[in-house]
Amino acid sequence: MKLREYLFPPDPRGWGVDPDYRFTLANERTFLSWIRTSLALVAGGLGSIVVLKDIEGVEVIGVMVLALAFVTASTAFRRWSLNERAMRLDQPLPASYLPQITAIGVALIGVAAVILLVIDSR
């Protein structure tokens, strides 16, 4: 499998048969939720850089949040596509690491923020 096909799977509507539209719409709502999450991360990342200028090293936190936003947004489409294809082929949904990646990323950002606040308060 080529890297482009891995990152951007082909249109899943060319596979199998149309599933019940409710499942397709639920899959789309999940995709939009991940996109909404990434937009919130973008706002938080940019906001932390712009608003918290007085805290030394806050740019690191902002860049970490923006990187997590990029990973979330870019992975959301792949997840939607693979789920849609699995439903059309009547296969189990593929495993996704996106929730785990997001949870670990937010935890690491939180730890980094606490460290920066402790260092800045000295």
Side-chain angles (χ1 to χ4, degrees):
M1 178 181 286
K2 295 178 183 177
L3 180 62
R4 183 184 185 292
E5 290 175 0
Y6 179 79
L7 295 175
F8 303 103
D11 187 354
R13 292 173 290 191
W15 298 83
V17 297
D18 289 338
D20 185 336
Y21 71 91
R22 292 173 290 183
F23 298 122
T24 297
L25 292 174
N27 189 32
E28 184 177 335
R29 281 191 304 273
T30 303
F31 166 74
L32 293 172
S33 293
W34 284 112
I35 294 299
R36 192 170 47 248
T37 299
S38 67
L39 283 171
L41 288 167
V42 167
L46 292 175
S48 66
I49 292 170
V50 172
V51 174
L52 303 174
K53 294 178 199 175
D54 298 341
I55 299 175
E56 192 170 326
V58 75
E59 297 85 11
V60 173
I61 300 293
V63 169
M64 288 173 68
V65 174
L66 290 171
L68 183 59
F70 171 77
V71 169
T72 302
S74 61
T75 307
F77 175 78
R78 183 173 188 279
R79 181 177 187 202
W80 169 83
S81 180
L82 294 177
N83 285 346
E84 187 69 22
R85 185 170 71 178
M87 288 189 298
R88 289 172 169 277
L89 296 175
D90 199 26
Q91 296 176 343
L93 297 179
S96 173
Y97 295 105
L98 187 53
Q100 184 179 12
I101 290 168
T102 305
I104 291 170
V106 169
L108 290 174
I109 291 165
V111 169
V114 168
I115 291 170
L116 283 178
L117 287 174
V118 168
I119 291 171
D120 188 59
S121 68
R122 290 183 178 187

